[in-house]
Coordinates of all heavy atoms in Angstrom, one line a residue:
S468 N 65.3 80.7 83.6 CA 64.1 81.1 82.7 C 63.2 82.0 83.5 O 63.2 82.0 84.7 CB 63.4 79.6 82.4 OG 62.8 79.2 83.6
E469 N 62.3 82.6 82.7 CA 61.5 83.6 83.4 C 60.5 82.9 84.3 O 60.2 83.4 85.5 CB 60.6 84.3 82.3 CG 59.9 85.4 82.7 CD 59.2 86.2 81.6 OE1 59.8 86.3 80.6 OE2 58.1 86.7 81.9
P470 N 59.9 81.8 84.0 CA 59.1 81.1 85.0 C 59.8 80.8 86.3 O 59.2 80.9 87.4 CB 58.6 79.8 84.4 CG 58.6 80.1 82.8 CD 59.9 81.1 82.6
F471 N 61.1 80.3 86.2 CA 61.8 80.0 87.5 C 62.1 81.3 88.3 O 62.0 81.2 89.4 CB 63.0 79.2 87.1 CG 63.8 78.8 88.3 CD1 63.4 77.7 89.1 CD2 64.9 79.5 88.9 CE1 64.0 77.3 90.3 CE2 65.5 79.1 90.0 CZ 65.0 78.0 90.7
L472 N 62.4 82.3 87.5 CA 62.7 83.6 88.3 C 61.5 84.1 89.0 O 61.5 84.8 90.0 CB 63.2 84.6 87.3 CG 64.7 84.3 86.8 CD1 65.1 85.4 85.7 CD2 65.7 84.3 88.0
K473 N 60.2 83.7 88.6 CA 59.1 84.1 89.3 C 59.0 83.3 90.6 O 58.4 83.8 91.6 CB 57.8 83.9 88.4 CG 57.6 84.9 87.3 CD 56.3 84.7 86.5 CE 56.4 85.7 85.4 NZ 55.2 85.5 84.6
L474 N 59.4 82.1 90.5 CA 59.5 81.2 91.7 C 60.6 81.6 92.6 O 60.4 81.7 93.8 CB 59.6 79.7 91.2 CG 59.5 78.7 92.3 CD1 58.2 78.7 93.1 CD2 59.8 77.3 91.7
N475 N 61.7 81.9 92.0 CA 62.9 82.3 92.9 C 63.6 83.5 92.2 O 64.4 83.2 91.3 CB 63.8 81.2 93.1 CG 65.0 81.5 94.0 OD1 65.2 82.8 94.4 ND2 65.9 80.7 94.2
P476 N 63.3 84.7 92.6 CA 63.9 85.9 92.0 C 65.5 85.9 92.1 O 66.1 86.6 91.2 CB 63.3 87.1 92.7 CG 62.8 86.6 93.9 CD 62.5 85.1 93.8
N477 N 66.1 85.0 92.9 CA 67.6 85.0 93.0 C 68.1 84.1 91.9 O 69.3 84.2 91.6 CB 67.9 84.6 94.3 CG 67.5 85.4 95.5 OD1 67.7 86.6 95.4 ND2 67.0 84.8 96.5
G478 N 67.3 83.3 91.3 CA 67.8 82.5 90.1 C 68.5 81.2 90.5 O 69.2 80.6 89.6
F479 N 68.5 80.9 91.8 CA 69.3 79.8 92.3 C 68.4 78.6 92.8 O 67.2 78.9 93.0 CB 70.3 80.1 93.4 CG 71.4 81.0 93.1 CD1 71.4 82.3 93.5 CD2 72.4 80.5 92.4 CE1 72.5 83.1 93.2 CE2 73.5 81.3 92.1 CZ 73.6 82.6 92.5
V480 N 68.8 77.4 92.7 CA 68.0 76.3 93.3 C 68.6 76.1 94.7 O 69.7 76.6 95.0 CB 68.2 75.0 92.5 CG1 67.6 75.2 91.1 CG2 69.7 74.6 92.4
P481 N 67.8 75.6 95.7 CA 66.5 74.9 95.5 C 65.4 76.0 95.5 O 65.6 77.2 96.0 CB 66.4 74.1 96.7 CG 67.2 74.7 97.7 CD 68.3 75.4 97.0
A482 N 64.3 75.6 95.0 CA 63.1 76.5 95.0 C 61.9 75.5 94.8 O 62.0 74.6 94.1 CB 63.1 77.5 93.9
I483 N 60.9 75.7 95.7 CA 59.7 75.0 95.5 C 58.5 75.9 95.6 O 58.6 77.0 96.1 CB 59.5 73.9 96.7 CG1 59.4 74.5 98.1 CG2 60.7 72.9 96.5 CD1 59.0 73.4 99.1
E484 N 57.3 75.4 95.3 CA 56.1 76.1 95.5 C 55.4 75.3 96.6 O 55.2 74.0 96.4 CB 55.2 76.2 94.2 CG 54.2 77.3 94.3 CD 53.6 77.5 93.0 OE1 54.3 77.3 91.8 OE2 52.4 77.9 92.8
A485 N 55.0 76.0 97.6 CA 54.2 75.3 98.8 C 53.2 76.3 99.2 O 53.4 77.4 99.4 CB 55.3 74.9 99.9
D486 N 52.0 75.7 99.5 CA 50.9 76.5 100.0 C 50.7 77.7 99.1 O 50.5 78.9 99.7 CB 51.1 77.0 101.4 CG 51.3 75.7 102.4 OD1 50.7 74.7 102.1 OD2 52.1 75.9 103.2
D487 N 50.7 77.6 97.8 CA 50.6 78.6 96.8 C 51.6 79.7 96.9 O 51.3 80.9 96.5 CB 49.2 79.1 96.8 CG 48.1 78.1 96.4 OD1 48.4 77.3 95.5 OD2 47.1 78.1 97.0
Q488 N 52.7 79.5 97.5 CA 53.8 80.5 97.7 C 55.1 79.9 97.3 O 55.3 78.7 97.5 CB 53.9 81.1 99.1 CG 52.6 81.8 99.5 CD 52.9 82.4 100.9 OE1 53.5 81.7 101.8 NE2 52.2 83.5 101.3
S489 N 56.0 80.7 96.8 CA 57.3 80.2 96.5 C 58.2 80.2 97.8 O 58.1 81.1 98.6 CB 58.0 81.0 95.4 OG 58.2 82.3 95.8
M490 N 59.1 79.3 97.9 CA 60.1 79.2 98.9 C 61.4 78.9 98.2 O 61.4 78.0 97.3 CB 59.7 78.0 99.8 CG 58.5 78.2 100.6 SD 58.3 76.9 101.8 CE 59.5 77.5 103.1
F491 N 62.4 79.6 98.6 CA 63.7 79.4 97.8 C 65.0 79.5 98.7 O 66.1 79.8 98.2 CB 63.7 80.5 96.8 CG 63.5 81.9 97.2 CD1 64.5 82.7 97.8 CD2 62.3 82.5 97.1 CE1 64.3 84.0 98.2 CE2 62.0 83.7 97.4 CZ 63.0 84.5 98.0
D492 N 64.8 79.2 100.0 CA 66.1 79.0 100.8 C 66.1 77.6 101.4 O 65.0 77.1 101.8 CB 66.0 80.1 101.9 CG 67.3 80.0 102.8 OD1 68.2 80.5 102.5 OD2 67.1 79.1 103.8
S493 N 67.2 76.9 101.2 CA 67.2 75.4 101.6 C 66.8 75.3 103.0 O 66.1 74.3 103.3 CB 68.5 75.0 101.3 OG 69.6 75.6 102.0
A494 N 67.3 76.1 103.9 CA 66.8 75.9 105.4 C 65.4 76.1 105.5 O 64.7 75.3 106.2 CB 67.6 76.8 106.3
A495 N 64.8 77.1 104.9 CA 63.3 77.3 105.0 C 62.6 76.3 104.4 O 61.5 75.8 105.0 CB 63.0 78.7 104.2
I496 N 63.0 75.7 103.2 CA 62.4 74.5 102.6 C 62.4 73.3 103.5 O 61.4 72.7 103.7 CB 63.0 74.3 101.2 CG1 62.7 75.5 100.3 CG2 62.5 73.0 100.7 CD1 63.4 75.3 98.9
C497 N 63.6 73.0 104.0 CA 63.7 71.9 104.9 C 62.8 71.9 106.1 O 62.1 71.0 106.3 CB 65.2 71.7 105.3 SG 66.3 71.1 104.0
L498 N 62.9 73.1 106.7 CA 62.1 73.2 108.0 C 60.6 73.2 107.7 O 59.8 72.6 108.4 CB 62.4 74.6 108.6 CG 61.8 74.9 110.0 CD1 62.3 73.7 110.9 CD2 62.4 76.1 110.6
H499 N 60.1 73.8 106.5 CA 58.7 73.7 106.1 C 58.3 72.3 105.9 O 57.3 72.0 106.4 CB 58.5 74.7 104.9 CG 57.1 74.5 104.3 ND1 56.0 75.1 104.9 CD2 56.7 73.8 103.3 CE1 54.9 74.8 104.2 NE2 55.3 74.0 103.2
L500 N 59.1 71.6 105.1 CA 58.7 70.2 104.8 C 58.7 69.3 106.1 O 57.8 68.5 106.2 CB 59.6 69.5 103.8 CG 59.6 70.2 102.4 CD1 60.7 69.7 101.5 CD2 58.2 70.0 101.8
C501 N 59.6 69.6 106.9 CA 59.7 68.8 108.1 C 58.5 69.1 109.1 O 57.8 68.2 109.6 CB 60.9 69.0 109.0 SG 62.4 68.4 108.2
E502 N 58.1 70.3 109.2 CA 57.0 70.8 110.0 C 55.7 70.5 109.5 O 54.7 70.3 110.3 CB 57.1 72.2 110.4 CG 58.4 72.4 111.4 CD 58.5 73.8 111.9 OE1 57.8 74.8 111.4 OE2 59.3 74.0 112.8
T503 N 55.5 70.4 108.2 CA 54.3 70.1 107.6 C 54.0 68.6 107.5 O 53.0 68.1 107.1 CB 54.0 70.7 106.2 OG1 55.2 70.3 105.4 CG2 54.0 72.2 106.2
H504 N 55.0 67.8 107.9 CA 54.9 66.3 108.0 C 55.5 65.8 109.3 O 56.4 65.0 109.4 CB 55.7 65.7 106.9 CG 55.2 66.0 105.5 ND1 54.1 65.6 104.9 CD2 55.7 67.1 104.6 CE1 53.9 66.2 103.7 NE2 54.8 67.0 103.5
P505 N 54.8 66.3 110.4 CA 55.3 66.0 111.7 C 55.3 64.5 112.1 O 56.1 64.0 112.8 CB 54.4 66.7 112.7 CG 53.1 67.0 111.9 CD 53.6 67.1 110.4
D506 N 54.4 63.7 111.4 CA 54.3 62.3 111.6 C 55.6 61.5 111.1 O 55.8 60.4 111.5 CB 53.1 61.8 110.9 CG 53.2 62.0 109.3 OD1 53.4 63.2 109.0 OD2 53.0 61.1 108.5
R507 N 56.5 62.2 110.4 CA 57.7 61.6 109.9 C 58.7 61.7 110.9 O 59.9 61.0 110.8 CB 58.1 62.2 108.6 CG 57.1 62.1 107.4 CD 56.9 60.6 107.1 NE 55.9 60.5 106.1 CZ 56.1 60.0 104.9 NH1 57.3 59.6 104.5 NH2 55.1 59.9 104.1
G508 N 58.7 62.6 111.9 CA 59.7 62.8 112.9 C 61.0 63.3 112.4 O 62.0 62.9 112.9
L509 N 61.1 64.1 111.4 CA 62.2 64.5 110.8 C 63.0 65.6 111.6 O 64.2 65.7 111.5 CB 61.9 65.1 109.5 CG 61.4 64.1 108.5 CD1 60.8 64.9 107.2 CD2 62.2 63.0 108.1
V510 N 62.3 66.4 112.3 CA 62.9 67.4 113.3 C 62.1 67.5 114.6 O 60.9 67.2 114.6 CB 63.0 68.9 112.7 CG1 63.8 68.9 111.4 CG2 61.6 69.4 112.4
P511 N 62.8 67.8 115.7 CA 62.0 68.0 116.9 C 61.0 69.2 116.7 O 61.5 70.3 116.2 CB 63.1 68.4 117.9 CG 64.4 67.9 117.4 CD 64.2 68.0 115.9
M512 N 59.9 69.1 117.1 CA 58.9 70.2 116.9 C 59.1 71.3 118.0 O 59.9 71.1 119.0 CB 57.4 69.7 117.2 CG 57.0 68.7 116.1 SD 56.8 69.6 114.5 CE 58.0 69.0 113.5
P513 N 58.6 72.5 117.8 CA 58.9 73.6 118.7 C 58.5 73.2 120.1 O 57.5 72.5 120.4 CB 57.9 74.6 118.1 CG 57.8 74.4 116.7 CD 57.8 72.9 116.6
G514 N 59.5 73.6 121.0 CA 59.2 73.2 122.3 C 59.8 71.9 122.8 O 60.0 71.5 124.0
S515 N 60.2 71.1 121.8 CA 60.8 69.8 122.1 C 62.3 69.8 122.4 O 63.0 70.7 121.8 CB 60.6 68.8 120.9 OG 59.2 68.7 120.6
P516 N 62.7 68.8 123.2 CA 64.2 68.9 123.4 C 65.0 68.5 122.2 O 64.4 67.8 121.3 CB 64.3 67.6 124.4 CG 63.0 67.3 124.9 CD 62.0 67.9 123.9
G517 N 66.0 69.1 122.0 CA 66.9 69.0 120.8 C 66.5 69.9 119.7 O 67.2 69.9 118.7
R518 N 65.5 70.8 119.9 CA 65.0 71.6 118.8 C 66.1 72.6 118.5 O 66.5 73.0 117.4 CB 63.8 72.3 119.2 CG 63.4 73.4 118.3 CD 62.7 72.9 117.1 NE 62.1 74.0 116.3 CZ 61.3 73.8 115.2 NH1 61.0 72.6 114.8 NH2 60.8 74.8 114.6
S519 N 66.7 73.2 119.5 CA 67.8 74.2 119.3 C 69.0 73.7 118.6 O 69.5 74.3 117.7 CB 68.1 75.0 120.6 OG 68.7 74.1 121.5
E520 N 69.4 72.5 118.9 CA 70.6 71.9 118.3 C 70.2 71.6 116.9 O 71.1 71.8 115.9 CB 71.0 70.6 119.0 CG 72.2 70.0 118.5 CD 72.7 68.7 119.1 OE1 71.9 68.3 120.0 OE2 73.8 68.4 118.9
C521 N 69.1 71.0 116.7 CA 68.6 70.7 115.2 C 68.6 72.1 114.4 O 69.2 72.0 113.2 CB 67.3 70.1 115.3 SG 66.5 69.9 113.6
L522 N 68.1 73.1 114.9 CA 68.0 74.4 114.1 C 69.5 74.9 113.9 O 69.8 75.4 112.8 CB 67.2 75.4 114.8 CG 65.7 75.0 114.8 CD1 64.9 76.2 115.6 CD2 65.2 74.8 113.4
S523 N 70.3 74.7 114.9 CA 71.7 75.2 114.7 C 72.4 74.5 113.5 O 73.0 75.1 112.7 CB 72.5 75.0 116.0 OG 72.1 75.8 117.0
W524 N 72.3 73.2 113.5 CA 72.8 72.4 112.4 C 72.2 72.7 111.1 O 72.9 72.8 110.0 CB 72.9 70.8 112.8 CG 74.0 70.5 113.8 CD1 73.8 70.2 115.0 CD2 75.3 70.5 113.4 NE1 75.0 70.0 115.6 CE2 76.0 70.2 114.6 CE3 76.1 70.9 112.4 CZ2 77.3 70.1 114.8 CZ3 77.5 70.7 112.4 CH2 78.1 70.3 113.7
L525 N 70.9 72.8 111.1 CA 70.2 73.1 109.8 C 70.6 74.4 109.3 O 70.9 74.5 108.0 CB 68.6 73.1 110.0 CG 67.7 73.5 108.8 CD1 67.9 72.4 107.8 CD2 66.3 73.7 109.3
F526 N 70.7 75.5 110.0 CA 71.1 76.7 109.5 C 72.6 76.7 109.2 O 73.0 77.5 108.3 CB 70.6 77.9 110.4 CG 69.1 78.1 110.2 CD1 68.3 77.4 111.1 CD2 68.6 78.8 109.2 CE1 66.9 77.5 110.9 CE2 67.2 78.9 109.1 CZ 66.3 78.4 109.9
H527 N 73.4 76.1 109.9 CA 74.8 75.9 109.6 C 75.0 75.4 108.2 O 75.7 75.8 107.4 CB 75.6 75.1 110.7 CG 76.9 74.8 110.3 ND1 78.0 75.7 110.3 CD2 77.5 73.6 109.9 CE1 79.0 75.1 109.9 NE2 78.9 73.9 109.7
M528 N 74.3 74.2 108.0 CA 74.3 73.5 106.7 C 74.0 74.5 105.5 O 74.5 74.6 104.6 CB 73.4 72.3 106.7 CG 73.3 71.6 105.5 SD 72.1 72.1 104.2 CE 70.6 72.3 105.0
A529 N 72.9 75.3 105.8 CA 72.4 76.1 104.8 C 73.3 77.3 104.5 O 73.5 77.7 103.3 CB 71.0 76.7 105.1
S530 N 74.0 77.8 105.5 CA 74.8 79.0 105.3 C 76.2 78.6 104.9 O 77.0 79.5 104.4 CB 74.7 79.9 106.6 OG 75.2 79.2 107.7
T531 N 76.7 77.5 105.2 CA 78.1 77.2 105.0 C 78.3 76.0 104.0 O 78.9 76.1 102.9 CB 78.9 76.9 106.2 OG1 78.3 75.8 107.0 CG2 79.0 78.1 107.1
L532 N 77.8 74.9 104.3 CA 78.0 73.7 103.6 C 77.3 73.7 102.2 O 77.9 73.3 101.1 CB 77.5 72.4 104.3 CG 77.8 71.1 103.7 CD1 79.3 71.0 103.4 CD2 77.2 69.9 104.5
D533 N 76.1 74.3 102.2 CA 75.4 74.4 101.0 C 76.2 75.3 99.9 O 76.2 75.0 98.7 CB 74.1 75.1 101.2 CG 73.1 75.1 100.1 OD1 73.0 74.1 99.5 OD2 72.3 76.1 99.9
K534 N 76.7 76.3 100.3 CA 77.6 77.2 99.5 C 78.8 76.5 99.1 O 79.1 76.6 97.8 CB 77.9 78.6 100.2 CG 79.0 79.3 99.7 CD 78.7 80.0 98.4 CE 79.6 81.0 97.9 NZ 80.8 80.5 97.2
A535 N 79.5 75.8 99.9 CA 80.7 75.1 99.5 C 80.3 74.0 98.5 O 81.1 73.8 97.5 CB 81.3 74.6 100.7
C536 N 79.3 73.3 98.7 CA 78.8 72.2 97.7 C 78.5 72.8 96.4 O 78.8 72.2 95.4 CB 77.6 71.4 98.3 SG 78.1 70.3 99.7
F537 N 77.9 74.0 96.4 CA 77.6 74.6 95.1 C 78.9 74.9 94.4 O 79.1 74.7 93.2 CB 76.8 75.9 95.3 CG 76.4 76.6 94.0 CD1 75.3 76.3 93.5 CD2 77.3 77.6 93.4 CE1 74.8 76.9 92.2 CE2 76.9 78.2 92.2 CZ 75.6 77.8 91.6
D538 N 79.9 75.4 95.1 CA 81.2 75.6 94.5 C 81.9 74.4 93.9 O 82.6 74.4 93.0 CB 82.2 76.3 95.5 CG 81.8 77.8 95.7 OD1 80.8 78.3 95.1 OD2 82.2 78.3 96.9
V539 N 81.7 73.2 94.7 CA 82.3 72.0 94.2 C 81.6 71.4 92.9 O 82.2 71.1 92.0 CB 82.2 70.9 95.3 CG1 82.5 69.6 95.0 CG2 83.1 71.3 96.5
F540 N 80.3 71.4 93.0 CA 79.5 70.8 91.9 C 79.3 71.8 90.7 O 78.9 71.2 89.5 CB 78.1 70.3 92.3 CG 78.4 69.2 93.3 CD1 78.1 69.4 94.7 CD2 78.9 67.9 92.8 CE1 78.4 68.3 95.5 CE2 79.1 66.8 93.8 CZ 78.7 67.0 95.1
Y541 N 79.5 73.2 90.9 CA 79.3 74.0 89.8 C 80.6 75.0 89.8 O 80.4 76.1 89.9 CB 78.1 74.9 89.9 CG 76.8 74.0 89.8 CD1 76.2 73.6 91.1 CD2 76.3 73.6 88.7 CE1 75.0 72.8 91.0 CE2 75.1 72.8 88.6 CZ 74.5 72.4 89.8 OH 73.4 71.7 89.8
P542 N 81.7 74.4 89.6 CA 83.0 75.1 89.9 C 83.2 76.3 88.9 O 83.9 77.2 89.3 CB 84.1 74.1 89.6 CG 83.5 73.1 88.8 CD 82.0 73.0 89.1
R543 N 82.6 76.3 87.8 CA 82.9 77.5 86.9 C 82.0 78.7 87.0 O 82.1 79.7 86.6 CB 82.7 77.0 85.3 CG 83.7 75.8 85.0 CD 85.2 76.3 85.1 NE 86.0 75.2 84.9 CZ 86.8 74.5 85.8 NH1 86.8 75.0 87.1 NH2 87.5 73.5 85.6
V544 N 80.9 78.5 87.9 CA 80.0 79.6 88.2 C 80.6 80.5 89.3 O 80.8 81.7 89.0 CB 78.7 79.1 88.7 CG1 77.8 80.1 89.1 CG2 78.0 78.1 87.7
L545 N 81.0 80.0 90.4 CA 81.5 80.9 91.5 C 83.0 80.6 91.8 O 83.5 81.4 92.6 CB 80.6 80.7 92.8 CG 79.2 81.1 92.6 CD1 78.3 80.9 93.8 CD2 79.0 82.6 92.1
A546 N 83.5 79.5 91.5 CA 84.9 79.3 91.7 C 85.6 79.0 90.3 O 85.7 77.9 89.9 CB 85.1 77.9 92.5
P547 N 85.9 80.1 89.6 CA 86.3 80.0 88.2 C 87.6 79.4 87.8 O 88.0 79.4 86.7 CB 86.1 81.4 87.8 CG 86.4 82.2 89.0 CD 85.9 81.4 90.1
N548 N 88.3 79.0 88.8 CA 89.8 78.5 88.5 C 90.0 77.2 89.4 O 89.3 76.9 90.4 CB 90.8 79.5 88.7 CG 90.8 80.0 90.1 OD1 91.1 79.2 91.1 ND2 90.8 81.3 90.2
E549 N 91.1 76.5 89.1 CA 91.4 75.3 89.8 C 91.6 75.4 91.2 O 91.2 74.6 92.0 CB 92.4 74.5 89.0 CG 92.0 74.0 87.6 CD 90.8 73.0 87.7 OE1 90.8 72.1 88.5 OE2 90.0 73.2 86.8
A550 N 92.3 76.5 91.6 CA 92.6 76.7 93.0 C 91.4 76.9 93.8 O 91.2 76.4 94.9 CB 93.6 77.9 93.0
A551 N 90.5 77.7 93.3 CA 89.2 78.0 94.0 C 88.3 76.7 94.1 O 87.7 76.6 95.1 CB 88.4 79.1 93.2
H552 N 88.3 75.9 93.1 CA 87.6 74.7 93.0 C 88.3 73.7 94.1 O 87.6 73.0 94.9 CB 87.7 74.1 91.7 CG 86.7 72.8 91.6 ND1 87.2 71.6 91.0 CD2 85.5 72.5 92.0 CE1 86.2 70.8 91.0 NE2 85.2 71.3 91.7
A553 N 89.6 73.6 94.1 CA 90.3 72.8 95.2 C 90.0 73.3 96.6 O 89.7 72.4 97.5 CB 91.8 72.8 94.9
A554 N 89.9 74.6 96.8 CA 89.5 75.2 98.1 C 88.1 74.8 98.4 O 87.9 74.5 99.7 CB 89.8 76.6 98.1
A555 N 87.2 74.8 97.5 CA 85.8 74.4 97.8 C 85.7 73.0 98.3 O 85.0 72.6 99.2 CB 85.0 74.7 96.5
I556 N 86.4 72.1 97.5 CA 86.5 70.7 97.9 C 87.0 70.6 99.3 O 86.5 69.8 100.1 CB 87.3 69.9 96.9 CG1 86.6 69.9 95.5 CG2 87.5 68.4 97.4 CD1 87.3 69.3 94.4
E557 N 88.1 71.2 99.7 CA 88.6 71.2 101.0 C 87.7 71.6 102.1 O 87.5 71.0 103.1 CB 89.9 72.1 101.0 CG 90.6 72.0 102.4 CD 91.3 70.7 102.7 OE1 91.7 70.0 101.7 OE2 91.5 70.4 103.9
R558 N 86.8 72.6 101.8 CA 85.8 73.1 102.7 C 84.7 72.1 103.0 O 84.2 72.2 104.1 CB 85.1 74.4 102.2 CG 86.1 75.6 102.4 CD 85.3 76.9 102.2 NE 84.5 77.0 101.0 CZ 84.8 77.3 99.8 NH1 86.1 77.8 99.5 NH2 83.9 77.5 98.7
V559 N 84.4 71.2 102.1 CA 83.4 70.2 102.4 C 83.9 68.8 103.0 O 83.1 67.9 103.3 CB 82.5 69.9 101.2 CG1 81.8 71.2 100.7 CG2 83.3 69.4 100.0
Q560 N 85.2 68.7 103.0 CA 85.8 67.5 103.6 C 85.6 67.3 105.1 O 85.8 68.4 105.8 CB 87.3 67.3 103.2 CG 87.5 67.2 101.7 CD 87.0 66.0 101.1 OE1 87.0 64.9 101.6 NE2 86.4 66.2 99.9
P561 N 85.3 66.3 105.6 CA 85.2 66.2 107.1 C 86.6 66.5 107.7 O 87.6 66.0 107.2 CB 84.8 64.6 107.3 CG 84.3 64.2 106.0 CD 84.9 65.1 104.9
Q562 N 86.6 67.1 108.8 CA 87.8 67.4 109.6 C 88.3 66.2 110.5 O 87.6 65.6 111.1 CB 87.7 68.7 110.2 CG 87.3 69.9 109.4 CD 88.5 70.2 108.3 OE1 89.6 70.1 108.7 NE2 88.1 70.4 107.1

């Protein structure tokens, strides 16, 4: 819809409005929410031990697993046939 495209010009979810600005990348959204609620202890804060490992997994999830899950749950959008859908399911299975 036009209102959603104003929030996220790419037209994909997730998208949120935070601090009067739109955010539309899953890793950015996760990191923003974690850092704006430090009392919850969701991620190591900058300078803390484990921060680099946490960021590595967060961005790995956003760049690989997120895309594969989209193909699994919306197979006709980006994986238009059964073979592509089966390959997407294989990518998200634990090794």
Side-chain angles (χ1 to χ4, degrees):
S468 70
E469 189 174 326
F471 185 77
L472 288 174
K473 287 181 181 177
L474 185 61
N475 181 357
N477 298 315
F479 290 109
V480 294
I483 66 168
E484 196 167 334
D486 303 324
D487 296 324
Q488 295 182 328
S489 63
M490 297 186 75
F491 51 84
D492 180 87
S493 59
I496 291 169
C497 287
L498 192 55
H499 173 76
L500 293 173
C501 291
E502 289 183 348
T503 55
H504 301 281
D506 57 310
R507 302 296 176 113
L509 299 171
V510 297
M512 291 291 110
S515 298
R518 174 76 173 188
S519 59
E520 182 179 15
C521 174
L522 293 180
S523 292
W524 282 110
L525 174 64
F526 287 93
H527 170 73
M528 179 274 309
S530 64
T531 58
L532 187 58
D533 192 41
K534 163 72 170 82
C536 286
F537 186 88
D538 292 347
V539 169
F540 293 108
Y541 300 97
R543 303 296 175 250
V544 177
L545 298 176
N548 60 56
E549 291 303 317
H552 188 225
I556 292 170
E557 182 69 25
R558 286 195 307 274
V559 298
Q560 295 296 319
Q562 301 298 319

